[in-house]
């Protein structure tokens, strides 16, 4: 034991001699600091200088044309703004993704970059033959999610579950978007709807009465949606209107499990939800004068169904067969032009504080927009 | 002195490993690109040319995402060695700070007011830490059978440690179900403006040190 200690000390002394010899050399390199000293020095160095805001070098490419129908392929990568009036009218309750609506308040404007998939759909819609069956377009994006909600058993349709609050929100969204159009067209109900012994909507009443009933009596909102969709389908067949159905996160219809609690159990599946069933009725090939646009995204399904952005993987066999045939539209990653114009916009709005690191950002994010915004959030 | 006590006094010498992968003559690498540019232009390059250089550590890189202060700050947020969770919390806090500042910037129309807003979140973190640094600390010292709280000057590194620890502690203390990142963000913003509970804590410590000024000579007793 004693021998061991002595040997250790001798090594130590030897080391001290070595340090003495190299003391001069170590003095010279002492400005290279160790970790905690490095932090102190870093803070002092930064705060020694007065703060100046970063000024962007390049300007944003903007376009004054706000109507997306007028945009052409040469406008890809440019930004157009939606006015506050239009935003209030069309996107008050729903429509924008959560992240985007958060950014509009930060940037103090509603700017959208023109990209290829949107132009592609608009061109298809312009040139389609509306006398034939509705064409289905599937995009990979997402808009809506559902979680734990209030739920009731449906009285009119057996074995189905109503989501009254969700239904009322959907009706309100429909009302805000289409009120002026419906008043102008003067559509009327073709069927009598009996809600209970006292309340009913008779034949020949305006279509807005059906929507208002769903909003006033939230309990019947899901049945109102079912009636409304059937009425609109009939009007489209008669040629009174052109009917566009837009569904975000369509693959959530086939997710299977839900977090809805009925009788203190989590047993309900997505097939049992009445709103989904009434939307599925629009996919049947029994009407014309319309189109269906839907998006498919990984984040709307359960974690076990994630892993690939392709439609067959997300919709699974059941969903794919109900949709087939459809036109798939891929939202690819940003091109080099789009990438630079997006970063220009971030710098203009002072969201990106570190200028001159574009090569690294491009390398890390692989020009995937979600990844890019995640990295830019802290810089 | 008993043998046990002697060994305890020299333990730091005995247990210390006296070997290294690299000799003492090796210097640490210079990592930041701006530092390299500055050194190559100055005369220091003549000294550094002939020295051996160690490879960089695992956590060191010249990336824009790498910031020394943030790496240090995560150590105090971290629990049970879960560094990734701590880092994500800190990044969320930075994002919240930036959201508040950028929104304020875009909504003000006056040019002079605009220029005063600090937009860089890392600058705000540094400012907050610098404002919270204490100048003194209290050390319990036994003299004549009773313990006195003696004010003692503090080193730079320790004062930075105190400041960071206080900010993290006070953001954990706050009531309500608000998430940690949000609390941390508001605590940092307050501290950067010389407000908030951490600054209060610092002022109170200085006040006690001022009151115990009479015991200061016990430090050398």
């Amino acid at each position: 034991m004693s021998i061991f200690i002595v040997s250790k000390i001798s090594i130590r002394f030897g080391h001290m001699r070595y340090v003495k010899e190299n003391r001069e050399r170590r003095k010279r390199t002492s400005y290279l600091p160790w970790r905690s000293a490095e932090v102190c020095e870093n803070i002092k160095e930064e705060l020694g200088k007065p703060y100046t805001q970063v000024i962007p070098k390049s300007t944003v490419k903007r376009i004054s044309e706000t109507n997306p129908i007028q945009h052409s392929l040469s406008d890809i990568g440019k930004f157009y703004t939606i006015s506050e009036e239009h935003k209030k009218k069309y996107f008050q309750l729903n429509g924008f993704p959560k992240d985007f609506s958060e950014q509009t308040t930060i940037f103090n404007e509603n700017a959208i970059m023109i990209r290829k998939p949107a132009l592609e759909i608009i061109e298809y819609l312009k040139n389609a033959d509306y006398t034939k069956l509705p064409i289905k377009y599937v995009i990979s994006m997402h808009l809506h999610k559902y979680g734990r909600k209030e739920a009731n058993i449906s009285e009119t349709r057996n074995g189905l579950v109503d989501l009254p609050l969700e239904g009322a929100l959907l009706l309100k969204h429909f009302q805000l978007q289409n009120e002026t159009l419906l008043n102008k067209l003067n559509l009327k109900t073709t069927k009598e709807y009996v809600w209970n012994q006292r309340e009913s909507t008779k034949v020949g009443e305006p279509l807005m009465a059906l929507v208002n009933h769903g909003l006033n009596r939230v309990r019947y909102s899901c049945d109102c949606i079912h009636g409304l969709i059937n009425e609109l389908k009939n009007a489209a067949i008669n040629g009174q209107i052109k009917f566009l159905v837009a569904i975000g996160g369509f693959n959530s219809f086939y997710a299977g499990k839900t977090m809805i609690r009925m009788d203190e159990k989590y047993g309900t599946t997505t097939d049992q939800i009445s709103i989904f069933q009434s939307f599925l009725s629009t996919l049947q090939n029994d009407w014309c004068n319309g189109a269906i646009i839907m998006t498919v995204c990984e984040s709307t399904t359960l974690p076990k169904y994630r892993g690939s952005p392709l439609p067959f993987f997300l919709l699974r066999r059941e969903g794919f067969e109900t949709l087939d045939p459809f036109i798939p539209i891929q939202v690819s990653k940003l091109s080099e032009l789009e990438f630079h114009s997006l970063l220009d916009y971030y710098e203009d709005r002072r969201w990106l504080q570190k200028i001159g690191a574009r090569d690294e950002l491009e390398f890390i994010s692989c020009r995937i927009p979600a990844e890019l915004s995640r990295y830019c959030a802290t810089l | 002195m008993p043998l046990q006590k002697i060994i305890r006094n020299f333990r730091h010498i005995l247990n210390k490993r006296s070997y290294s992968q690299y000799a003492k003559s090796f210097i640490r690498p210079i990592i930041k690109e701006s530092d390299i540019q500055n050194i190559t232009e100055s005369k220091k390059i003549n000294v550094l040319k002939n020295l051996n250089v160690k490879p960089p550590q695992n956590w060191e890189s010249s990336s824009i995402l790498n910031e020394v202060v943030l790496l240090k700050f995560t150590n105090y947020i971290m629990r049970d060695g879960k560094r990734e969770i701590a880092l994500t919390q800190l990044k969320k806090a930075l994002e919240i700070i930036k959201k508040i500042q950028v929104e304020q910037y875009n909504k003000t129309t006056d040019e002079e007011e605009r220029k005063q807003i600090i937009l860089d979140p890392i600058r705000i973190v540094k400012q907050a830490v610098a404002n919270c640094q204490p100048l003194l600390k209290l050390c319990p010292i036994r003299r004549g059978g009773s313990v006195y709280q003696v004010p003692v000057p503090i080193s730079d590194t320790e004062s930075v440690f105190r400041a960071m620890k206080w900010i993290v502690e006070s953001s954990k203390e706050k009531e309500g179900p608000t998430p940690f990142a949000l609390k941390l963000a508001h605590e940092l913003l307050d501290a950067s403006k010389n407000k908030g509970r951490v600054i209060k804590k610092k002022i109170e410590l200085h006040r006690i040190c001022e009151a115990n000024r009479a015991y200061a000579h016990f430090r050398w007793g």
Side-chain angles (χ1 to χ4, degrees):
Chain A
M1 186 69 187
S2 62
I3 293 162
F4 177 66
I5 289 170
V6 166
S7 67
K8 267 245 166 186
I9 287 168
S10 70
I11 290 165
R12 183 72 202 167
F13 282 134
H15 172 67
M16 287 299 283
R17 212 184 303 133
Y18 181 76
V19 169
K20 266 183 191 172
E21 283 169 9
N22 290 303
R23 191 164 281 170
E24 282 184 7
R25 197 186 286 174
R26 287 183 82 195
K27 260 185 189 174
R28 266 182 267 146
T29 57
S30 63
Y31 63 87
L32 293 170
W34 290 96
R35 273 192 219 182
S36 30
E38 200 177 342
V39 174
C40 296
E41 212 160 280
N42 196 324
I43 290 169
K44 272 182 191 170
E45 197 184 304
E46 176 114 7
L47 297 178
K49 298 176 230 161
Y51 177 71
T52 48
Q53 287 175 355
V54 180
I55 299 157
K57 286 171 190 170
S58 46
T59 53
V60 189
K61 292 172 197 161
R62 287 178 194 271
I63 189 167
S64 57
E65 181 63 61
T66 52
N67 192 356
I69 296 168
Q70 305 288 342
H71 296 151
S72 63
L73 279 170
S74 60
D75 298 329
I76 286 175
K78 288 175 185 171
F79 283 86
Y80 74 97
T81 49
I82 299 170
S83 63
E84 279 296 314
E85 292 171 30
H86 282 108
K87 194 199 167 189
K88 266 189 184 174
K89 198 177 173 188
Y90 298 116
F91 305 107
Q92 202 178 39
L93 286 174
N94 201 351
F96 283 155
K98 195 185 164 192
D99 297 346
F100 182 77
S101 59
E102 207 174 51
Q103 279 192 343
T104 53
T105 54
I106 296 164
F107 298 159
N108 207 16
E109 64 171 9
N110 318 311
I112 292 176
M113 189 166 72
I114 300 163
R115 294 197 67 194
K116 209 183 174 185
L119 296 176
E120 205 180 329
I121 287 177
I122 290 164
E123 207 167 291
Y124 288 151
L125 288 172
K126 273 181 195 169
N127 301 326
D129 185 5
Y130 287 103
T131 53
K132 285 171 186 169
L133 297 173
I135 305 167
K136 296 157 198 165
Y137 308 95
V138 175
I139 324 166
S140 60
M141 222 190 82
H142 81 104
L143 287 179
H144 92 92
K145 277 181 184 180
Y146 62 96
R148 199 174 291 179
K149 293 276 151 53
E150 263 187 43
N152 290 329
I153 294 166
S154 177
E155 289 171 3
T156 49
R157 284 175 284 168
N158 277 336
L160 293 186
V161 175
D162 278 347
L163 300 173
L165 290 174
E166 282 288 283
L169 263 174
L170 230 156
L171 282 174
K172 187 73 191 168
H173 186 57
F174 178 82
Q175 195 194 31
L176 286 166
Q177 283 194 327
N178 300 311
E179 196 166 21
T180 48
L181 244 178
L182 281 178
N183 287 334
K184 208 187 282 177
L185 289 165
N186 209 7
L187 294 177
K188 269 154 194 177
T189 49
T190 54
K191 216 174 104 180
E192 192 181 2
Y193 297 93
V194 182
W195 311 115
N196 55 27
Q197 284 181 343
R198 289 171 197 169
E199 290 169 299
S200 63
T201 310
K202 284 165 191 168
V203 183
E205 279 191 49
L207 212 62
M208 228 48 207
L210 222 139
V211 177
N212 286 328
H213 184 266
L215 288 171
N216 294 329
R217 302 273 290 131
V218 178
R219 196 178 164 188
Y220 300 110
S221 61
C222 291
D223 295 333
C224 284
I225 288 169
H226 192 70
L228 185 72
I229 284 171
N230 285 336
E231 290 290 341
L232 288 170
K233 266 166 81 175
N234 279 331
I237 291 163
N238 297 334
Q240 288 169 304
I241 54 165
K242 279 181 179 174
F243 187 24
L244 182 93
V245 186
I247 306 167
F250 181 73
N251 52 329
S252 65
F253 283 28
Y254 296 98
K257 258 187 189 176
T258 62
M259 292 295 282
I260 294 161
R261 210 171 155 155
M262 293 293 298
D263 303 329
E264 299 181 353
K265 276 176 197 171
Y266 285 116
T268 48
T269 53
T270 40
D271 332 331
Q272 290 174 324
I273 296 164
S274 58
I275 300 174
F276 286 2
Q277 287 297 335
S278 44
F279 269 103
L280 281 177
S281 71
T282 58
L283 302 180
Q284 290 164 1
N285 294 327
D286 56 355
W287 59 289
C288 59
N289 269 331
I292 306 157
I293 298 172
M294 54 191 95
T295 64
V296 168
C297 182
E298 276 180 76
S299 62
T300 48
T301 50
L302 295 169
K304 64 176 177 179
Y305 299 133
R306 287 173 201 166
S308 167
L310 298 172
F312 188 81
F313 182 85
L314 290 170
L315 293 165
R316 298 154 75 197
R317 185 171 291 280
E318 194 188 348
F320 196 86
E321 279 171 2
T322 48
L323 275 186
D324 206 38
F326 62 87
I327 298 172
I329 294 158
Q330 192 194 6
V331 180
S332 53
K333 63 182 187 182
L334 298 167
S335 70
E336 221 161 286
L337 191 142
E338 287 168 337
F339 173 80
H340 285 293
S341 79
L342 183 64
L343 287 190
D344 281 343
Y345 181 73
Y346 278 163
E347 283 170 10
D348 180 59
R349 294 281 110 188
R350 303 295 193 274
W351 184 242
L352 190 64
Q353 286 295 314
K354 285 197 176 168
I355 291 174
R358 290 198 176 187
D359 293 342
E360 199 183 327
L361 275 174
E362 195 179 348
F363 176 72
I364 298 169
S365 66
C366 303
R367 285 196 249 120
I368 297 164
E371 290 277 298
L372 185 65
S373 69
R374 197 162 63 80
Y375 282 114
C376 286
T378 52
L379 292 177
Chain B
M1 233 189 240
L3 190 86
Q4 222 172 24
K5 206 168 184 181
I6 295 167
I7 289 170
R8 200 192 299 152
N9 285 345
F10 287 98
R11 186 180 276 173
H12 64 283
I13 299 172
L14 300 177
N15 289 351
K16 207 163 192 177
R17 289 181 185 180
S18 57
Y19 58 87
S20 165
Q21 200 175 348
Y22 302 101
K24 286 283 167 183
S25 60
F26 277 65
I27 58 162
R28 295 187 71 226
I30 303 158
I31 282 141
K32 271 192 176 179
E33 272 185 54
S34 57
D35 285 353
I36 292 167
Q37 277 182 2
N38 288 332
I39 285 166
T40 45
E41 284 164 13
S42 67
K43 285 178 184 175
K44 283 173 193 170
I45 191 72
N46 295 325
V47 182
L48 293 170
K49 256 182 195 173
N50 302 321
L51 292 174
N52 295 321
V53 184
K54 282 181 199 173
Q57 294 287 317
N58 210 1
W59 47 271
E60 289 172 326
S61 76
S62 63
S63 162
I64 46 159
L65 303 168
N66 187 32
E67 194 74 34
V68 188
V69 179
L70 300 187
L71 281 170
K72 196 73 184 167
F73 210 97
T74 44
N75 290 345
Y76 304 129
I77 298 169
M78 185 167 66
R79 276 185 189 176
D80 304 336
K82 292 169 188 165
R83 185 177 290 279
E84 275 190 18
I85 293 169
L87 245 173
T88 49
Q89 290 296 318
L90 186 62
K91 279 179 179 174
K92 270 182 195 171
L94 291 180
E95 199 182 335
I96 292 161
I97 290 170
K98 213 162 84 169
K99 272 177 190 171
I100 293 165
Q101 298 298 89
V102 172
E103 194 178 343
Q104 204 184 339
Y105 177 88
N106 283 324
K107 276 180 182 172
T108 49
T109 47
D110 190 32
E111 277 292 315
E112 285 183 16
E113 270 183 50
R114 269 188 163 191
K115 280 179 186 173
Q116 289 174 358
I117 299 166
I118 301 171
L119 296 169
D120 189 9
I122 293 156
R123 170 92 187 187
I124 284 173
V125 171
K126 283 174 185 173
Q127 185 75 57
V129 171
N131 287 347
C132 294
Q133 279 184 44
L135 300 169
L136 295 162
K137 66 173 177 180
L138 287 169
C139 231
I141 292 174
R142 182 182 280 265
R143 287 284 175 275
S146 55
V147 179
Y148 297 98
Q149 296 293 330
V150 180
V152 171
I154 200 169
S155 69
D156 245 12
T157 51
E158 200 179 343
S159 73
V160 165
F161 160 72
R162 282 279 154 226
M164 286 181 175
K165 199 81 181 167
W166 278 347
I167 290 166
V168 174
E169 268 176 18
S170 67
S171 48
K172 274 176 186 169
E173 270 173 24
K174 273 185 181 176
E175 291 168 8
T178 42
F180 173 77
L182 212 154
K183 291 180 205 165
L184 183 66
H186 283 288
E187 209 64 59
L188 284 167
L189 267 173
D190 282 350
S192 70
K193 291 167 191 165
N194 260 327
K195 287 182 213 162
R197 51 170 72 191
V198 184
I199 298 289
K200 261 187 192 173
K201 215 174 193 175
K202 187 189 87 173
I203 289 166
E204 200 171 306
L205 190 132
H206 284 181
R207 196 178 53 75
I208 297 165
C209 288
E210 187 75 27
N212 291 5
R213 198 165 48 167
Y215 307 139
H217 66 281
F218 286 146
R219 198 149 65 88
W220 300 284

